[in-house]
Amino acid sequence: MNFLIGAFKPACNISITFSDGKSRKQVPMKKENGKTIMVSLFQSKESIAGKVSIEPLQGKKIEHLGVKVELLGQIEMYFDRGNFYDFTSLVRELDVPGDIYERKTYPFEFSTVEMPYETYNGANLRLRYVLKVTVSRNYGGSIVEYQDFMCCDCSNLSFAWLMCTRFAIILHLRQSTIASKWKLELKIACTLSLSIIKASESIPIRLFLSPYELTPTYRNINNKFSVKYYLNLVLVDEEDRRYFKQQEIAIYRQQDS
């Protein structure tokens, strides 16, 4: 039994680190299992550099057909799990075929990476950026390790939390006016003024969005999806009549102060 368990263990440990990982901003990212981890945050057209370390398990030797690291931008639809649509794919070959007897470290760099879309994790799909290290082998299957990171379009807007928004919705209600005839008989000399006054009242509605996990509005991401937000108001009067109003809103990131 112990032999069978050991047969399924990876032959080595792979770690991926960023060169500026200690100083770079870390942001929370929710994994598929519901757990939240901290990952590095990058902007489009930044250079992404770091090191890949491969350490064979004690007493083992890694025979491989080559080692490579890939930077991938992917879209995964949850109704089609496991199939990714790559819109960004960059590769760096780290090693030629050979053997690894002890811990070996490979530097890598992807210069001025074009990341056209922001990281997104929704109810139906996710858009992610990941570093993928592959140790290719003839037998036993290739060894693969992933390192997620996030991309945010912070060229001029960098703070990712939505504070609050204020909106007003105007309901146009049909009103009917009953015309009446008035007959006035004046016994004395006087001046009479008759006025009909129509008054409108505006009721402001304030909705705070900070408790919700919202993203900016996205338009036609890689021809795969869009993210839109709507405010839907239902007004019920004293006679249980209902009035409806829907308004699309656009959400942006708050400007860096």
Side-chain angles (χ1 to χ4, degrees):
M1 180 63 69
N2 290 336
F3 173 78
L4 291 176
I5 295 175
F8 290 99
K9 288 185 177 179
C12 63
N13 293 321
I14 301 176
S15 62
I16 308 169
T17 58
F18 296 106
S19 298
D20 56 355
K22 293 183 179 180
S23 59
R24 180 167 291 277
K25 183 176 181 179
Q26 303 291 302
V27 292
M29 185 180 74
K30 187 175 291 186
K31 301 285 286 184
E32 290 181 309
N33 57 11
K35 294 183 178 180
T36 300
I37 62 173
M38 301 301 291
V39 298
S40 296
L41 178 66
F42 290 86
Q43 299 182 36
S44 183
K45 297 184 180 179
E46 277 196 278
S47 294
I48 299 176
K51 295 180 180 179
V52 173
S53 295
I54 300 176
E55 184 176 8
L57 297 183
Q58 188 174 6
K60 289 192 175 184
K61 174 184 71 171
I62 306 298
E63 299 177 2
H64 65 87
L65 301 176
V67 180
K68 66 180 179 180
V69 58
E70 301 172 81
L71 191 155
L72 303 173
Q74 302 177 322
I75 297 175
E76 181 187 24
M77 306 291 185
Y78 287 158
F79 65 82
D80 190 20
R81 282 188 178 272
N83 291 326
F84 294 92
Y85 301 90
D86 294 343
F87 56 85
T88 295
S89 180
L90 303 173
V91 183
R92 296 290 183 270
E93 299 291 341
L94 301 180
D95 204 353
V96 296
D99 300 330
I100 301 177
Y101 296 92
E102 58 185 5
R103 182 183 178 92
K104 196 169 184 179
T105 301
Y106 306 92
F108 69 87
E109 181 176 3
F110 297 93
S111 300
T112 318
V113 181
E114 183 74 30
M115 293 180 283
Y117 312 116
E118 290 192 357
T119 301
Y120 175 78
N121 190 3
N124 299 312
L125 58 92
R126 66 171 172 167
L127 187 153
R128 71 169 187 167
Y129 291 93
V130 64
L131 290 174
K132 176 182 177 183
V133 174
T134 304
V135 181
S136 302
R137 299 194 297 174
N138 262 334
Y139 59 93
S142 297
I143 305 172
V144 180
E145 182 68 25
Y146 296 92
Q147 175 64 57
D148 285 280
F149 63 94
M150 291 185 67
C151 172
C152 171
D153 184 10
C154 303
S155 55
N156 55 1
L157 301 173
S158 60
F159 190 67
W161 291 101
L162 290 165
M163 302 301 290
C164 65
T165 187
R166 181 179 178 182
F167 69 95
I169 295 179
I170 299 176
L171 294 176
H172 296 280
L173 306 180
R174 291 184 301 172
Q175 298 180 350
S176 60
T177 301
I178 300 176
S180 299
K181 293 183 179 179
W182 295 83
K183 183 177 180 181
L184 300 177
E185 295 183 2
L186 301 182
K187 300 290 185 179
I188 58 176
C190 65
T191 302
L192 177 65
S193 176
L194 179 65
S195 300
I196 298 178
I197 300 175
K198 176 181 177 182
S200 298
E201 185 175 1
S202 176
I203 304 175
I205 300 174
R206 180 174 294 178
L207 175 65
F208 294 93
L209 300 181
S210 55
Y212 308 102
E213 295 184 2
L214 303 178
T215 67
T217 299
Y218 297 129
R219 306 289 186 185
N220 193 23
I221 302 300
N222 199 45
N223 293 324
K224 295 295 182 183
F225 70 95
S226 296
V227 178
K228 298 181 180 180
Y229 293 95
Y230 293 88
L231 294 174
N232 191 45
L233 177 66
V234 180
L235 177 64
V236 183
D237 65 13
E238 294 180 349
E239 298 181 5
D240 202 31
R241 292 176 298 190
R242 295 174 181 266
Y243 304 92
F244 302 91
K245 180 69 176 181
Q246 187 178 82
Q247 176 69 46
E248 182 179 0
I249 62 172
I251 297 180
Y252 302 93
R253 296 189 183 277
Q254 181 181 355
Q255 283 192 337
D256 190 357
S257 56

